[in-house]
Each structure stands twice: as C-alpha cells, then as structure tokens.
C-alpha cells in the first residue's frame, strides 16, 4: 500500500495526501446514551489499553462498520446496542507507519445485561463529566460534537500517545440553527461565530451553514438600513426590529404599528412593511 508508506513519518496533517490515503485498519467506536449519561469503557488490552474510550474495535474482512459496532459492544460489554446512528469519522496516522480509520456511532438504548469482560470495564459517565484527561488527546476535540448529534470529520497525526497535529471539520448547521432559534434578534455571520466560540465551528463553516439554511428554506436573510446581511429563522411570526446604534445589535419587536395604510398616497398599493426603531439597548445605555 504505497499511500501508507508515503504517510509514515509525516508530522503535519497538510503533508498527507488524504484523498489517496488508506488506513492499515478500519475500526468503530460506539457510545450508548442513557438520559444525561454515556457508557464508556476502560480498555484492558490492545491499542489504547488503560485509556477510557467507547467500546469498539477493528472491522473484520467484508464487515460493514455498523455491524462491527454492534459486534464489538456485544463482545466487550455483553449488551446489544440499539438505535445506532452514524456520528462521524476520524483518520489517524502514526509516525511509525500505522494508521486507522475510525467510524463513530451513538446508540439510544441497549438490550441485555451489562457486564465487565476480559476486554473492558464499563463506566457510566455523566455527559458533563467525561474524563478527557484519561482518553486519547483527540477525543476532547470531536466527541462533544458527535454526542451532540453532529458528524465531525477529523484527521490526526500521532507519535505514540502524543498528538502532533490535527484538523477537524464540523457540520455547523445544527449549531447555527440552535443559536438563531435562541437569539433575541437576527444575527450576522460574525455575531454567530462569536456566540459559537468554544464549539470548534469556524467562520467559514458558519457562512456555509447560513447559505445552506437559506437555500433549504429554514433561514432568511434581512438587511437593516443597509447594514449587511443578518439571519433569522424563516418561520418566525411577523415582527419588526430595534437596532442599537452603539453596539449594532438588532432585537426582535413583536407587534405592529396601526394606521400605516393611511400614510399610503392615493393610487399606491401597500404590499408589506418593515419597521426599524433606532436607539440604544439596555446594556449600552447602562454603560454610557
């Protein structure tokens, strides 16, 4: 496998031709969810022995990833995961030449009696207390996205247990839709990016997610007084805006102004209206 040999010794993600890259092994990781908990394991043997991770292992010849995910959980914990959903892929290149392509899954429930085996010790863990310090370095980068319902795509360079370089792509549409649904007014791309700090979603991803949201009819773009595009969910009820002249943040105003029709000259036909009130918001007013 020439691509494997060419990748050996590389220390930067950008130095590898990933479209032609092929892993020595393919494997799965599965995370069973139960309310606010996730089922992890402490691995007893094999790659990553002693570390905490999700149950999983290598695909057998001719085996599909989802079938491997079920088999590995059964072998390591004695239960059958149910309601499996694909949650992304991670490509790992080690400087010694070894490489592995890992498919991640979540399961919404399981059947059977959970037990410790020769391969793993089960660990039910609160989602907000995942012991990343006891896991592979990359897990803290992509696992929160997978557990949040996204499908991150990661590439990593390792020297033994030490991560040398990484690159992660996250479908930010879900994050963008959530942020806009919770916002008190339309947001620009940069406002959204600022609110999503800490999620791993980059500015370019925000722009792509906004474009997709508009194209798919979930979002609409509004321009207030020529101030550039802002975005909001398309299904919101009729509303107007308050634009702060200090911080430039826009706020939704629900309700309408009566009597606008009386302002329309004879012979004109009113088809709609948009009202923007100007002033300072409470935060800027308090700071003044």
């Amino acid at each position: 496998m020439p691509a494997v040999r060419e990748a050996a010794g590389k220390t930067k993600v950008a130095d590898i031709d990933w479209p032609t890259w092929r892993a020595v092994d393919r494997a799965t990781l599965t995370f069973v969810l139960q309310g606010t908990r996730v089922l992890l394991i402490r691995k007893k043997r094999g790659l990553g022995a002693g570390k905490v991770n999700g149950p999983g292992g290598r695909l057998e010849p001719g085996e599909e990833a989802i079938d491997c995910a079920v088999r590995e959980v059964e072998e390591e914990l004695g239960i059958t995961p149910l309601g499996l959903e694909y949650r992304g892929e991670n490509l790992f290149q080690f400087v010694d030449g070894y490489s592995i392509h890992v498919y991640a899954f979540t399961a919404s429930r399981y059947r059977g009696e959970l037990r410790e085996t020769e391969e793993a010790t089960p660990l039910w863990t609160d989602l907000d207390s995942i012991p990343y310090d006891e896991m592979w370095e990359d897990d803290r980068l992509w696992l929160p996205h997978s557990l949040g319902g996204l499908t991150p795509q990661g590439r990593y360079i390792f020297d033994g247990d030490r991560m040398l370089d990484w690159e992660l792509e996250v479908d930010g549409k879900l994050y963008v839709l959530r942020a806009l649904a919770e916002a008190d007014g339309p947001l620009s791309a940069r406002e959204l990016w600022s609110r999503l700090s800490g999620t791993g979603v980059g500015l370019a991803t925000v722009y792509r997610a906004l474009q997709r949201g508009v194209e798919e009819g979930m979002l609409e773009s509004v321009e207030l007084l020529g101030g550039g595009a802002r975005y909001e969910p398309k299904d919101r009820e009729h509303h107007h805006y308050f634009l702060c002249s200090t911080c430039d943040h826009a706020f939704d105003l629900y309700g309408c102004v009566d009597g606008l029709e009386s302002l329309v000259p004879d012979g004109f036909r009113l088809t709609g209206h948009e009202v923007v009130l100007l002033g300072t918001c409470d935060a800027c007013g308090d700071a003044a």
Side-chain angles (χ1 to χ4, degrees):
M1 289 186 287
V4 172
R5 291 195 296 271
E6 290 172 4
K10 303 292 187 183
T11 60
K12 296 292 184 182
V13 167
D15 292 339
I16 295 178
D17 183 12
W18 292 101
T20 63
W21 179 89
R22 296 294 180 270
V24 172
D25 288 315
R26 295 188 300 151
T28 61
L29 287 173
T30 302
F31 300 88
V32 179
L33 299 172
Q34 187 180 76
T36 59
R37 301 191 302 169
V38 59
L39 181 57
L40 304 175
I41 64 168
R42 188 172 298 280
K43 195 171 178 64
K44 293 184 177 181
R45 62 190 187 192
L47 183 65
K51 293 184 183 295
V52 173
N53 211 331
R58 295 175 177 85
L59 274 71
E60 296 178 348
E63 188 177 35
E64 295 293 330
I66 195 167
D67 297 323
C68 173
V70 172
R71 175 180 58 77
E72 287 289 340
V73 176
E74 290 176 336
E75 292 177 358
E76 294 188 345
L77 296 175
I79 59 174
T80 300
L82 304 172
L84 268 73
E85 294 190 43
Y86 169 77
R87 288 292 178 243
E89 300 175 35
N90 291 294
L91 313 182
F92 299 91
Q93 179 63 54
F94 290 78
V95 294
D96 65 3
Y98 180 68
S99 56
I100 188 168
H101 182 159
V102 180
Y103 303 85
F105 296 88
T106 57
S108 58
R109 58 195 187 282
Y110 67 91
R111 181 178 64 241
E113 185 174 344
L114 184 65
R115 59 182 172 85
E116 182 174 354
T117 67
E118 295 179 354
E119 297 185 47
T121 301
L123 302 170
W124 279 111
T125 306
D126 290 338
L127 287 169
D128 59 0
S129 302
I130 293 175
Y132 288 113
D133 289 344
E134 300 181 61
M135 304 170 73
W136 289 93
E137 284 187 70
D138 61 279
D139 290 333
R140 69 174 67 247
L141 299 174
W142 64 269
L143 184 54
H145 299 296
S146 292
L147 297 179
L150 300 181
T151 55
Q153 311 289 312
R155 303 180 181 96
Y156 312 87
I157 308 293
F158 270 83
D159 183 4
D161 287 355
R162 187 164 61 96
M163 184 168 63
L164 303 181
D165 195 21
W166 60 276
E167 178 181 88
L168 185 66
E169 297 177 11
V170 180
D171 180 356
K173 188 174 75 170
L174 180 58
Y175 283 118
V176 166
L177 293 177
R178 285 175 179 170
L180 288 175
E182 296 170 357
D184 54 6
L187 300 175
S188 68
R190 287 193 173 274
E191 284 180 303
L192 268 169
W193 182 46
S194 176
R195 295 193 179 202
L196 295 175
S197 63
T199 66
V201 176
L203 182 58
T205 299
V206 169
Y207 277 113
R208 288 194 297 268
L210 288 171
Q211 182 178 358
R212 286 177 54 194
V214 172
E215 291 172 351
E216 295 170 5
M218 292 181 288
L219 303 176
E220 62 181 349
S221 172
V222 297
E223 291 191 17
L224 306 181
L225 306 180
R230 304 170 195 255
Y231 299 85
E232 62 185 8
K234 196 168 186 178
D235 58 358
R236 285 194 172 165
E237 62 184 276
H238 181 69
H239 60 285
H240 301 296
Y241 307 98
F242 184 100
L243 182 62
C244 179
S245 57
T246 300
C247 67
D248 197 43
H249 182 63
F251 300 84
D252 290 330
L253 297 177
Y254 291 93
C256 207
V257 180
D258 294 329
L260 290 177
E261 293 83 357
S262 65
L263 303 177
V264 179
D266 292 340
F268 286 62
R269 184 167 60 92
L270 181 66
T271 59
H273 64 271
E274 183 175 290
V275 177
V276 180
L277 302 183
L278 301 176
T280 56
C281 65
D282 55 351
C284 292
D286 292 342

